Amino acid sequence: MENSLSLHAILDQANCDYLVFDLSRRVTEISQKDFVAIEENRAPYPYPIQQHAQLGIAFWQAGQAPWIWFLKMPLDERGLLNQAALGDFIQYVAQAMGATLDKTPTEEEQEKLANNPYTFNPQDDKKAIFHAFLTSRLNQPASQYYDHAQHYTSGELGWEQWQGVGLQGIADLCARMDKHNNLTRLRKAVANMPETPKYALLGCLEHCAVPASLAERLEDAIQAQLASNEADLFLLTAHVRALAGAESSRLQRIIETVLAQPSLRHREMLIAIAGRCWQALSQSDLLDTFLIAVAEQNDQAFFQQMVADLVMIPALRPQVLSLLHGAASPTLLEAVKQLQQSVKA
């Protein structure tokens, strides 16, 4: 194993099956074909954040429960995996576990493997939806919290009786919305849940493909808030994030509507759009509008950070570079000019 140059080679040599998920932005499965291309630097990392790749890798041998690595790997300026860091982690694996992965590691080996700079602990919501996706993908039972979450989201327990509902149960429900009439439960829950558990539900939905019928409920909630004079910015932002997996034209329309209101061009909303709904920014006019809103924050460091983050996403890189190199609207050019002048002042 010490001579292996990649994680997929280690796993193949150990006769392990494996699944790879991105945990950087939305929790999204990465195909084995794409993962091999990423490891071999034949493709940039598709969903980078702050010039890093955050990965959840589950691997197992026949008849065994999966082992999981949560890894945070640096990327170079082209978005390619840093090969020195990858090799470094592989050395940690070799030193901790010896020549193969075909045995259960001892506590000492587990501790050795955990003590390296490339493992990380994901946020609770990402970890919950990762485990929900993984068990669903492997046709394994959901967690012990699933049944209770189903009963609660059906409305039969009373919407105020949410304290005993586990985050993992909500994640399991979202990951299985195409089964057991769960989509109907979710549509009902979005319309009726109190604010506290609704945040948990919306946080899980932002990692899921959202069918049109559920997206309509989320959009109705957004429109209701926009029509009121007392919109809760944070709850509104959570609803927008939850639509990240909706059909692209709907997502673009919602973001256009939100950005059309100056009071909603808040840093919290802008970060949410860039972090979860970046696919919508592939439309050049919307990207232009978004960057105008970022420039209007009058914070040069924030503007540079947002542009640097977006330009690392392969799907957006051509559009961002095009705007930066002359294709921007006069309004964006003026906004950037005023931002630069405010910094000089």
Side-chain angles (χ1 to χ4, degrees), residues 92-121:
Y92 278 107
V93 174
Q95 291 167 9
M97 303 186 70
T100 121
L101 296 177
D102 63 0
K103 61 183 178 64
T104 301
T106 65
E107 285 188 18
E108 182 182 355
E109 288 169 340
Q110 290 182 51
E111 187 175 342
K112 278 185 181 179
L113 187 54
N115 291 331
N116 73 79
Y118 305 108
T119 56
F120 81 108
N121 189 27

Side-chain angles (χ1 to χ4, degrees), residues 62-125:
Q64 294 186 349
W67 288 93
I68 295 168
W69 288 332
F70 291 122
L71 304 180
K72 184 176 181 179
M73 289 284 173
L75 306 170
D76 68 15
E77 68 281 355
R78 298 165 297 171
L80 298 175
L81 207 60
N82 183 303
Q83 292 296 304
L86 179 61
D88 201 18
F89 175 72
I90 289 171
Q91 283 299 110
Y92 278 107
V93 174
Q95 291 167 9
M97 303 186 70
T100 121
L101 296 177
D102 63 0
K103 61 183 178 64
T104 301
T106 65
E107 285 188 18
E108 182 182 355
E109 288 169 340
Q110 290 182 51
E111 187 175 342
K112 278 185 181 179
L113 187 54
N115 291 331
N116 73 79
Y118 305 108
T119 56
F120 81 108
N121 189 27
Q123 295 172 328
D124 288 345
D125 57 340

Side-chain angles (χ1 to χ4, degrees), residues 94 124 131 151-152 168 235 260 309 327:
D124 288 345
H131 284 292
H151 285 296
Y152 173 73
Q168 187 62 60
L235 187 58
D309 194 45

Side-chain angles (χ1 to χ4, degrees), residues 18-286:
Y18 65 94
L19 290 171
V20 181
F21 289 82
D22 172 66
L23 278 75
S24 312
R25 293 178 180 271
R26 300 174 65 221
V27 178
T28 307
E29 186 174 350
I30 297 175
S31 71
Q32 290 190 7
K33 178 182 177 182
D34 288 345
F35 180 61
V36 171
I38 290 165
E39 277 209 284
E40 295 177 351
N41 275 2
R42 291 184 286 108
Y45 193 74
Y47 315 115
I49 193 160
Q50 298 177 349
Q51 214 161 336
H52 280 78
Q54 295 181 2
L55 293 159
I57 303 176
F59 59 96
W60 65 95
Q61 291 181 317
Q64 294 186 349
W67 288 93
I68 295 168
W69 288 332
F70 291 122
L71 304 180
K72 184 176 181 179
M73 289 284 173
L75 306 170
D76 68 15
E77 68 281 355
R78 298 165 297 171
L80 298 175
L81 207 60
N82 183 303
Q83 292 296 304
L86 179 61
D88 201 18
F89 175 72
I90 289 171
Q91 283 299 110
Y92 278 107
V93 174
Q95 291 167 9
M97 303 186 70
T100 121
L101 296 177
D102 63 0
K103 61 183 178 64
T104 301
T106 65
E107 285 188 18
E108 182 182 355
E109 288 169 340
Q110 290 182 51
E111 187 175 342
K112 278 185 181 179
L113 187 54
N115 291 331
N116 73 79
Y118 305 108
T119 56
F120 81 108
N121 189 27
Q123 295 172 328
D124 288 345
D125 57 340
K126 284 187 176 180
K127 192 182 291 186
I129 199 70
F130 167 82
H131 284 292
F133 283 153
L134 180 61
T135 53
S136 177
R137 183 77 164 73
L138 297 178
N139 294 315
Q140 293 178 345
S143 74
Q144 61 183 316
Y145 306 103
Y146 178 53
D147 185 63
H148 186 67
Q150 283 187 305
H151 285 296
Y152 173 73
T153 52
S154 70
E156 63 190 67
L157 303 181
W159 295 110
E160 296 302 325
Q161 303 303 313
W162 55 267
Q163 289 84 354
V165 181
L167 174 60
Q168 187 62 60
I170 293 174
D172 289 330
L173 193 72
C174 291
R176 295 164 173 80
M177 69 172 74
D178 60 337
K179 299 179 175 70
H180 311 142
N181 206 32
N182 287 335
L183 181 56
T184 299
R185 290 186 173 92
L186 289 171
R187 291 176 63 220
K188 186 181 292 187
V190 163
N192 292 284
M193 285 173 88
E195 192 170 295
T196 299
K198 187 179 287 188
Y199 271 113
L201 173 59
L202 296 174
C204 290
L205 286 177
E206 65 190 48
H207 304 288
C208 301
V210 179
S213 63
L214 179 55
E216 286 172 7
R217 289 293 174 93
L218 292 166
E219 187 172 356
D220 287 346
I222 290 171
Q223 295 294 359
Q225 285 210 59
L226 292 177
S228 73
N229 295 323
E230 299 179 355
D232 182 327
L233 175 71
F234 295 98
L235 187 58
L236 182 63
T237 299
H239 279 85
V240 172
R241 287 162 63 113
L243 278 169
E247 196 268 327
S248 59
S249 61
R250 183 190 299 273
L251 182 59
Q252 288 171 346
R253 183 176 69 248
I254 286 295
I255 292 175
E256 286 171 0
T257 302
V258 167
L259 293 180
Q261 298 199 25
S263 64
L264 299 180
R265 294 186 174 197
H266 188 278
R267 188 172 298 208
E268 184 80 15
M269 181 67 75
L270 299 176
I271 291 172
I273 292 170
R276 293 290 184 269
C277 308
W278 76 92
Q279 312 97 310
L281 301 180
S282 60
Q283 194 213 44
S284 296
D285 288 346
L286 188 53

